[in-house]
Each structure stands twice: as C-alpha cells, then as structure tokens.
Amino acid sequence: MAIMEVRDVRFTYRTRYQTVEALKGVSYAFEEGKLYALVGKSGSGKSTLLSLMAGLELPSEGEVLFRGTSTAAMDLNRYRREDTAVIYQSFRLFPLLTVAENVAYPMELRGRKPKETRERAARLIEKVDLPPSVLDRFPTMLSGGEQQRVAIARAIGGDARLILADEPTGNLDVENSMRVIRLLADLAHRDGYCVIVVTHDMDIAAEADEILRMRDGVLTLEK
C-alpha cells in the first residue's frame, strides 16, 4: 500500500474578485523507499499539492490518503505532528534554541524524556554529516547548508515516515544543494522514507527516482 495517495484531487481558491482552480483532478500514489521530485512553473499547483499532503488544507474535491485513511477523517494536528515532516527553503529553525534543542523539539512533543532526546539528537546530527560540536550552537552560527541539514535532522527526529520538502535547496549554493538532495535520497533509499521534494532546479530533480511535473493544475509523470 502507498504511504500517500491523492485521488482525483481538486482545489479551488476563491477570493472576492476571482476563482482559481489550482488543482484539476490530480491522482498519484507515493511509496516508501523513493525520492520524488515535483517540478513546474510558479503557479502550476505544486506547492498547493504539497500543502494538501502536509495536512495544511483539505481538498475541495477528491481525497488525500495517508496509509489508506483520508486526511478529512483525521485529527490534522496529530497528523502534522506525528505522521509527516515538512522541510522549508528558509529552514525555519527556532533562533533562540540550540541545534540540539531544535532537533529534540518534535521528540519532546511526543513525550520523550530530555536525556533521551539529547542522545538521539546527537545521533541524528551525525547522520546528517555534522560534527557533535554544532549541538550547542545557535542556528545563526551555522552556514545555510548546515542549517538545512539541521532541519532535516529535526524532520526525522519525530519518527514521521513521510518527508515533504518545499524548495529545500532554494537558498543554497550548488555544492550544498547536491549534498542536501543526496542526503534526502539516502533517507529514502537506505532508511525507507517517502520523500517528496518541490523544486525548480532540474539538476536537483535528476537525483529523484520519479519526476512529476505540474502544469496548470495537472500532474504528469516524466521519469
């Protein structure tokens, strides 16, 4: 069974002045152990689709299914906290928390003890190829590439098996971009996560197992 599936999903934005159909009957099934790239021009619907899979919105029509259960039937706060993790272009680390505290945050939300979270944070920092010395630093003391790797460590700290990344390399240089996307590929291939990356960079997309393109709210498979 797919970990994430969208079935004939439509989403419409309505304002006082216009109605925009952002998604037009999108269907696809996403499996664990794979890295997916979602590409397309601005306004094509890719970020809208990602937000629906993240449980930030519900579709206007159709279904978003996590392990066979519709998000419309879920406690979305719990789903966002426990079942999925989102990585952003801007990192979104807590500036007043240390690296260790940032990584431990989703674990603490699930009731883990401080000693346990500190030990696991150290293991996760090592997993994303950062030295133990960063644990007690604050995010502003790190480079952009280091901050994004901390964000990835935080994402996998909460035990979510679905990782959604919205332009995770958008603020990084080429070297750090490739390091980040290969780290995400390793999480999919070695550890069995389902990783879905929104990107405009076709060099980044080329690292994916499947490339999906959004055009005017319609999804097609390229690779």
Side-chain angles (χ1 to χ4, degrees):
M1 179 189 296
I3 186 173
M4 167 58 60
E5 185 176 2
V6 290
R7 292 182 182 171
D8 197 23
V9 165
R10 299 174 184 272
F11 190 83
T12 303
Y13 293 100
R14 289 184 174 86
T15 70
R16 181 177 177 182
Y17 303 103
Q18 63 178 343
T19 297
V20 178
E21 192 176 10
L23 298 177
K24 303 172 183 177
V26 172
S27 296
Y28 209 77
F30 300 88
E31 301 174 2
E32 291 175 278
K34 286 188 176 183
L35 171 65
Y36 299 86
L38 187 57
V39 302
K41 295 180 180 179
S42 296
S44 62
K46 58 188 188 296
S47 292
T48 300
L49 180 58
L50 200 77
S51 72
L52 293 178
M53 291 189 288
L56 299 174
E57 302 271 5
L58 293 174
S60 303
E61 297 180 34
E63 288 186 300
V64 175
L65 304 165
F66 178 79
R67 297 198 187 279
T69 300
S70 172
T71 54
M74 292 180 179
D75 177 339
L76 288 180
N77 288 326
R78 182 175 180 177
Y79 169 69
R80 290 190 293 263
R81 184 173 63 247
E82 298 184 1
D83 295 319
T84 186
V86 182
I87 301 167
Y88 297 95
Q89 177 178 341
S90 57
F91 319 134
R92 295 201 183 181
L93 300 175
F94 300 114
L96 300 181
L97 299 183
T98 65
V99 166
E101 291 167 337
N102 267 282
V103 176
Y105 182 73
M107 303 181 226
E108 292 172 353
L109 288 179
R110 302 193 70 171
R112 297 198 180 198
K113 296 179 180 179
K115 181 181 178 181
E116 181 186 0
T117 62
R118 171 77 186 198
E119 292 173 350
R120 187 156 189 242
R123 293 196 298 272
L124 292 171
I125 284 298
E126 182 180 2
K127 188 177 184 69
V128 298
D129 198 27
L130 289 172
S133 58
V134 306
L135 284 165
D136 294 314
R137 296 180 187 174
F138 292 95
T140 54
M141 301 167 70
L142 306 179
S143 70
E146 290 170 333
Q147 288 187 62
Q148 192 60 289
R149 281 181 278 161
V150 172
I152 293 171
R154 182 176 64 180
I156 61 179
D159 297 324
R161 303 301 298 174
L162 175 63
I163 298 176
L164 306 171
D166 192 0
E167 297 282 4
T169 63
N171 285 334
L172 305 180
D173 59 27
V174 173
E175 181 181 354
N176 278 302
S177 293
M178 296 310 297
R179 180 178 290 175
V180 164
I181 197 63
R182 286 169 182 162
L183 173 58
L184 292 172
D186 281 346
L187 290 174
H189 300 152
R190 294 183 185 178
D191 299 322
Y193 289 86
C194 176
V195 184
I196 304 171
V197 177
V198 166
T199 184
H200 68 277
D201 187 333
M202 292 309 296
D203 288 334
I204 295 299
E207 298 293 318
D209 300 298
E210 295 186 13
I211 299 175
L212 306 169
R213 181 171 293 277
M214 293 292 304
R215 288 189 181 91
D216 297 323
V218 176
L219 184 71
T220 56
L221 174 66
E222 291 204 347
K223 172 185 173 184

